[in-house]
Amino acid sequence: MRIILLGAPGAGKGTQAQYLTEKFNIPQISTGDMLRAAVKAGTPLGIKAKAVMDAGQLVSDDIIIGLVQERITQEDCANGFLFDGFPRTIPQADALKEAGVQIDAVIEIDVDNEEIIKRMSGRRVHPGSGRTYHLLFNAPKVEGKDDVTGEDLIQRADDQEDTVRARLKVYDEQTAPLISYYKSWGEADAASAPRYVYIQGVGSVDQIR
Ligand code: AP5
Ligand code: ZN
């Protein structure tokens, strides 16, 4: 099973990915998590990406496409994978299509902007695994600690309200066009296009599952 999760920052892609990857026994490929790991490790890519991410802008298509192409050839992707946060621009979606990577489903998670701002301010993450919590809506068992490892949770550098608003603008301009990209592909050629699934992302985490 090869799945694309499409949705604005804070729509709940990472949260629902945890459930879907278990259900289908496939790895989660979050380009955001990969970039954050590079930032933490201080690699040349990480150094370059940090300023872009902190400003809420997108890392260049070439870098992202290279990262993803390398990742999907790894052994654990033989059974499929779930893309979380990729593709995020038309050129990224075109690169996937041109590489002949067949996607089974595009799942759009739709949440309005004010709800997103609320979610981001309360988000806490476990940097080692990418596991995501919310202070009110999805609290860890022990305050400030990851449920699995007991390690500290952190707040993401790009979760301040101003940066979140910049990320939402970038989403509207550069990523939202992928909605009609996949829908019109399905209308033109249903056999080759991924199935398009729309999910209203407001409601409890379990309801959305
Ligand atoms: P990335 O890490 O992908 O961030 P994003 O797309 O902005 O999405 P988020 O991770 O912020 O949100 P999410 O949808 O996963 O929501 P979550 O489940 O955490 O990218 C970061 C940066 O990296 C980008 O800005 C860019 O610079 C760069 N980048 C990454 N990929 C790139 C690409 N392909 N091309 C170029 N640049 C790229 O949920 C949010 C919060 O809400 C959590 O606290 C959660 O607990 C809570 N929550 C979730 N569901 C619910 C619910 N139903 N009810 C209440 N609360 C909920
Ligand atoms: Zn995420």
Side-chain angles (χ1 to χ4, degrees):
M1 179 66 79
R2 294 175 175 153
I3 302 172
I4 292 173
L5 271 188
L6 187 62
K13 300 184 295 298
T15 303
Q16 297 299 332
Q18 273 167 243
Y19 161 74
L20 289 166
T21 53
E22 272 171 40
K23 179 171 173 187
F24 294 110
N25 192 26
I26 49 177
Q28 172 186 2
I29 301 182
S30 159
T31 41
D33 285 348
M34 290 163 85
L35 293 168
R36 280 184 289 277
V39 170
K40 200 170 167 210
T43 64
L45 163 65
I47 292 164
K48 218 165 152 184
K50 186 176 188 318
V52 179
M53 293 171 78
D54 286 353
Q57 300 300 312
L58 296 184
V59 173
S60 80
D61 288 333
D62 289 352
I63 290 179
I64 297 290
I65 291 163
L67 269 182
V68 169
Q69 267 170 348
E70 200 207 310
R71 179 68 185 85
I72 62 177
T73 59
Q74 288 170 12
E75 223 171 280
D76 63 335
C77 293
N79 198 19
F81 43 77
L82 179 139
F83 283 138
D84 161 8
F86 175 88
R88 226 178 175 95
T89 62
I90 301 271
Q92 291 179 19
D94 280 342
L96 204 56
K97 203 174 180 183
E98 279 155 24
V101 180
Q102 289 264 353
I103 302 294
D104 298 292
V106 173
I107 304 177
E108 176 195 346
I109 309 180
D110 184 22
V111 177
D112 66 79
N113 287 1
E114 288 317 306
E115 173 74 18
I116 282 174
I117 306 270
K118 270 193 257 168
R119 287 186 184 181
M120 301 302 232
S121 61
R123 171 160 65 180
R124 296 294 180 273
V125 295
H126 175 240
S129 66
R131 266 184 295 277
T132 301
Y133 302 87
H134 189 283
L135 293 181
L136 303 175
F137 310 135
N138 188 12
K141 289 185 185 120
V142 177
E143 198 186 320
K145 303 286 179 193
D146 176 45
D147 285 355
V148 178
T149 63
E151 289 167 359
D152 286 345
L153 301 178
I154 59 146
Q155 194 165 12
R156 263 170 54 175
D158 59 352
D159 274 355
Q160 285 102 332
E161 186 167 333
D162 282 356
T163 316
V164 171
R165 291 199 188 273
R167 288 161 62 202
L168 289 170
K169 188 159 175 274
V170 167
Y171 176 81
D172 286 340
E173 288 169 1
Q174 299 192 56
T175 308
L178 291 176
I179 296 171
S180 51
Y181 177 100
Y182 284 111
K183 282 185 179 165
S184 57
W185 181 2
E187 281 155 15
D189 181 8
S192 78
R195 192 159 79 92
Y196 196 87
V197 182
Y198 171 86
I199 292 173
Q200 172 59 254
V202 182
S204 75
V205 171
D206 284 334
Q207 278 168 344
I208 291 161
R209 277 173 196 179

